[in-house]
PDB file of all heavy atoms in Angstrom:
ATOM      1  N   GLY B  42     -19.063 -15.413  20.656  1.00  0.00           N
ATOM      2  CA  GLY B  42     -17.966 -15.025  19.778  1.00  0.00           C
ATOM      3  C   GLY B  42     -16.600 -15.283  20.398  1.00  0.00           C
ATOM      4  O   GLY B  42     -15.690 -15.773  19.731  1.00  0.00           O
ATOM      5  N   ASP B  43     -16.474 -14.965  21.680  1.00  0.00           N
ATOM      6  CA  ASP B  43     -15.175 -15.140  22.325  1.00  0.00           C
ATOM      7  C   ASP B  43     -14.814 -16.606  22.545  1.00  0.00           C
ATOM      8  O   ASP B  43     -13.640 -16.956  22.563  1.00  0.00           O
ATOM      9  CB  ASP B  43     -15.163 -14.400  23.676  1.00  0.00           C
ATOM     10  CG  ASP B  43     -14.997 -12.896  23.493  1.00  0.00           C
ATOM     11  OD1 ASP B  43     -14.503 -12.487  22.427  1.00  0.00           O
ATOM     12  OD2 ASP B  43     -15.356 -12.139  24.402  1.00  0.00           O
ATOM     13  N   THR B  44     -15.823 -17.434  22.698  1.00  0.00           N
ATOM     14  CA  THR B  44     -15.507 -18.838  22.988  1.00  0.00           C
ATOM     15  C   THR B  44     -15.567 -19.732  21.758  1.00  0.00           C
ATOM     16  O   THR B  44     -14.845 -20.723  21.691  1.00  0.00           O
ATOM     17  CB  THR B  44     -16.486 -19.404  24.037  1.00  0.00           C
ATOM     18  OG1 THR B  44     -17.818 -19.161  23.606  1.00  0.00           O
ATOM     19  CG2 THR B  44     -16.268 -18.742  25.383  1.00  0.00           C
ATOM     20  N   GLU B  45     -16.413 -19.376  20.781  1.00  0.00           N
ATOM     21  CA  GLU B  45     -16.570 -20.268  19.631  1.00  0.00           C
ATOM     22  C   GLU B  45     -16.269 -19.592  18.300  1.00  0.00           C
ATOM     23  O   GLU B  45     -16.417 -20.210  17.242  1.00  0.00           O
ATOM     24  CB  GLU B  45     -17.994 -20.833  19.598  1.00  0.00           C
ATOM     25  CG  GLU B  45     -18.379 -21.575  20.868  1.00  0.00           C
ATOM     26  CD  GLU B  45     -19.850 -21.989  20.837  1.00  0.00           C
ATOM     27  OE1 GLU B  45     -20.317 -22.423  19.767  1.00  0.00           O
ATOM     28  OE2 GLU B  45     -20.533 -21.873  21.873  1.00  0.00           O
ATOM     29  N   GLY B  46     -15.886 -18.339  18.358  1.00  0.00           N
ATOM     30  CA  GLY B  46     -15.594 -17.608  17.129  1.00  0.00           C
ATOM     31  C   GLY B  46     -16.809 -16.843  16.632  1.00  0.00           C
ATOM     32  O   GLY B  46     -17.951 -17.238  16.869  1.00  0.00           O
ATOM     33  N   LEU B  47     -16.557 -15.760  15.923  1.00  0.00           N
ATOM     34  CA  LEU B  47     -17.649 -14.896  15.473  1.00  0.00           C
ATOM     35  C   LEU B  47     -18.592 -15.614  14.507  1.00  0.00           C
ATOM     36  O   LEU B  47     -19.776 -15.298  14.435  1.00  0.00           O
ATOM     37  CB  LEU B  47     -17.080 -13.632  14.827  1.00  0.00           C
ATOM     38  CG  LEU B  47     -18.083 -12.535  14.500  1.00  0.00           C
ATOM     39  CD1 LEU B  47     -18.816 -12.075  15.738  1.00  0.00           C
ATOM     40  CD2 LEU B  47     -17.401 -11.349  13.830  1.00  0.00           C
ATOM     41  N   ASP B  48     -18.080 -16.591  13.772  1.00  0.00           N
ATOM     42  CA  ASP B  48     -18.932 -17.333  12.841  1.00  0.00           C
ATOM     43  C   ASP B  48     -20.063 -18.068  13.556  1.00  0.00           C
ATOM     44  O   ASP B  48     -21.110 -18.322  12.964  1.00  0.00           O
ATOM     45  CB  ASP B  48     -18.100 -18.338  12.047  1.00  0.00           C
ATOM     46  CG  ASP B  48     -17.275 -17.647  10.976  1.00  0.00           C
ATOM     47  OD1 ASP B  48     -17.575 -16.481  10.670  1.00  0.00           O
ATOM     48  OD2 ASP B  48     -16.341 -18.273  10.452  1.00  0.00           O
ATOM     49  N   ALA B  49     -19.819 -18.413  14.800  1.00  0.00           N
ATOM     50  CA  ALA B  49     -20.838 -19.132  15.563  1.00  0.00           C
ATOM     51  C   ALA B  49     -21.948 -18.199  16.042  1.00  0.00           C
ATOM     52  O   ALA B  49     -23.001 -18.663  16.492  1.00  0.00           O
ATOM     53  CB  ALA B  49     -20.204 -19.841  16.753  1.00  0.00           C
ATOM     54  N   VAL B  50     -21.705 -16.909  15.951  1.00  0.00           N
ATOM     55  CA  VAL B  50     -22.723 -15.938  16.360  1.00  0.00           C
ATOM     56  C   VAL B  50     -23.722 -15.776  15.230  1.00  0.00           C
ATOM     57  O   VAL B  50     -23.473 -15.083  14.250  1.00  0.00           O
ATOM     58  CB  VAL B  50     -22.091 -14.576  16.706  1.00  0.00           C
ATOM     59  CG1 VAL B  50     -23.183 -13.567  17.033  1.00  0.00           C
ATOM     60  CG2 VAL B  50     -21.141 -14.719  17.866  1.00  0.00           C
ATOM     61  N   THR B  51     -24.839 -16.428  15.390  1.00  0.00           N
ATOM     62  CA  THR B  51     -25.852 -16.436  14.346  1.00  0.00           C
ATOM     63  C   THR B  51     -27.188 -16.058  14.973  1.00  0.00           C
ATOM     64  O   THR B  51     -27.430 -16.295  16.151  1.00  0.00           O
ATOM     65  CB  THR B  51     -25.884 -17.838  13.709  1.00  0.00           C
ATOM     66  OG1 THR B  51     -26.638 -17.796  12.532  1.00  0.00           O
ATOM     67  CG2 THR B  51     -26.439 -18.842  14.662  1.00  0.00           C
ATOM     68  N   ILE B  52     -28.019 -15.436  14.178  1.00  0.00           N
ATOM     69  CA  ILE B  52     -29.306 -14.992  14.699  1.00  0.00           C
ATOM     70  C   ILE B  52     -30.052 -16.151  15.358  1.00  0.00           C
ATOM     71  O   ILE B  52     -30.552 -16.034  16.480  1.00  0.00           O
ATOM     72  CB  ILE B  52     -30.171 -14.408  13.564  1.00  0.00           C
ATOM     73  CG1 ILE B  52     -29.480 -13.199  12.925  1.00  0.00           C
ATOM     74  CG2 ILE B  52     -31.541 -14.034  14.070  1.00  0.00           C
ATOM     75  CD1 ILE B  52     -29.589 -11.930  13.698  1.00  0.00           C
ATOM     76  N   ARG B  53     -30.072 -17.265  14.669  1.00  0.00           N
ATOM     77  CA  ARG B  53     -30.842 -18.408  15.163  1.00  0.00           C
ATOM     78  C   ARG B  53     -30.231 -19.003  16.423  1.00  0.00           C
ATOM     79  O   ARG B  53     -30.936 -19.367  17.366  1.00  0.00           O
ATOM     80  CB  ARG B  53     -30.952 -19.443  14.052  1.00  0.00           C
ATOM     81  CG  ARG B  53     -31.723 -18.920  12.839  1.00  0.00           C
ATOM     82  CD  ARG B  53     -31.719 -19.915  11.700  1.00  0.00           C
ATOM     83  NE  ARG B  53     -33.053 -20.416  11.416  1.00  0.00           N
ATOM     84  CZ  ARG B  53     -33.796 -20.030  10.387  1.00  0.00           C
ATOM     85  NH1 ARG B  53     -33.320 -19.156   9.523  1.00  0.00           N
ATOM     86  NH2 ARG B  53     -34.995 -20.521  10.205  1.00  0.00           N
ATOM     87  N   ARG B  54     -28.899 -19.116  16.421  1.00  0.00           N
ATOM     88  CA  ARG B  54     -28.215 -19.627  17.602  1.00  0.00           C
ATOM     89  C   ARG B  54     -28.462 -18.739  18.800  1.00  0.00           C
ATOM     90  O   ARG B  54     -28.791 -19.186  19.908  1.00  0.00           O
ATOM     91  CB  ARG B  54     -26.711 -19.712  17.317  1.00  0.00           C
ATOM     92  CG  ARG B  54     -25.837 -19.816  18.547  1.00  0.00           C
ATOM     93  CD  ARG B  54     -25.985 -21.167  19.237  1.00  0.00           C
ATOM     94  NE  ARG B  54     -25.271 -21.214  20.489  1.00  0.00           N
ATOM     95  CZ  ARG B  54     -23.964 -21.439  20.600  1.00  0.00           C
ATOM     96  NH1 ARG B  54     -23.252 -21.637  19.517  1.00  0.00           N
ATOM     97  NH2 ARG B  54     -23.379 -21.475  21.787  1.00  0.00           N
ATOM     98  N   LEU B  55     -28.341 -17.443  18.582  1.00  0.00           N
ATOM     99  CA  LEU B  55     -28.560 -16.448  19.614  1.00  0.00           C
ATOM    100  C   LEU B  55     -29.970 -16.582  20.185  1.00  0.00           C
ATOM    101  O   LEU B  55     -30.182 -16.537  21.395  1.00  0.00           O
ATOM    102  CB  LEU B  55     -28.363 -15.065  18.992  1.00  0.00           C
ATOM    103  CG  LEU B  55     -27.548 -13.985  19.674  1.00  0.00           C
ATOM    104  CD1 LEU B  55     -26.423 -14.554  20.506  1.00  0.00           C
ATOM    105  CD2 LEU B  55     -26.984 -13.057  18.611  1.00  0.00           C
ATOM    106  N   ALA B  56     -30.935 -16.762  19.290  1.00  0.00           N
ATOM    107  CA  ALA B  56     -32.331 -16.871  19.708  1.00  0.00           C
ATOM    108  C   ALA B  56     -32.540 -18.079  20.615  1.00  0.00           C
ATOM    109  O   ALA B  56     -33.116 -17.959  21.699  1.00  0.00           O
ATOM    110  CB  ALA B  56     -33.230 -16.964  18.483  1.00  0.00           C
ATOM    111  N   THR B  57     -32.059 -19.229  20.200  1.00  0.00           N
ATOM    112  CA  THR B  57     -32.264 -20.424  21.026  1.00  0.00           C
ATOM    113  C   THR B  57     -31.544 -20.270  22.363  1.00  0.00           C
ATOM    114  O   THR B  57     -32.079 -20.669  23.398  1.00  0.00           O
ATOM    115  CB  THR B  57     -31.770 -21.693  20.309  1.00  0.00           C
ATOM    116  OG1 THR B  57     -30.368 -21.564  20.054  1.00  0.00           O
ATOM    117  CG2 THR B  57     -32.492 -21.910  18.994  1.00  0.00           C
ATOM    118  N   ASP B  58     -30.360 -19.678  22.356  1.00  0.00           N
ATOM    119  CA  ASP B  58     -29.651 -19.453  23.619  1.00  0.00           C
ATOM    120  C   ASP B  58     -30.457 -18.572  24.556  1.00  0.00           C
ATOM    121  O   ASP B  58     -30.438 -18.764  25.770  1.00  0.00           O
ATOM    122  CB  ASP B  58     -28.285 -18.800  23.350  1.00  0.00           C
ATOM    123  CG  ASP B  58     -27.223 -19.823  23.028  1.00  0.00           C
ATOM    124  OD1 ASP B  58     -27.574 -20.917  22.547  1.00  0.00           O
ATOM    125  OD2 ASP B  58     -26.029 -19.541  23.256  1.00  0.00           O
TER     126      ASP B  58
END
Side-chain angles (χ1 to χ4, degrees):
Chain B
D43 283 339
T44 53
E45 303 174 41
L47 189 59
D48 285 344
V50 176
T51 192
I52 299 281
R53 297 175 115 104
R54 162 70 186 279
L55 226 31
T57 61
D58 275 25

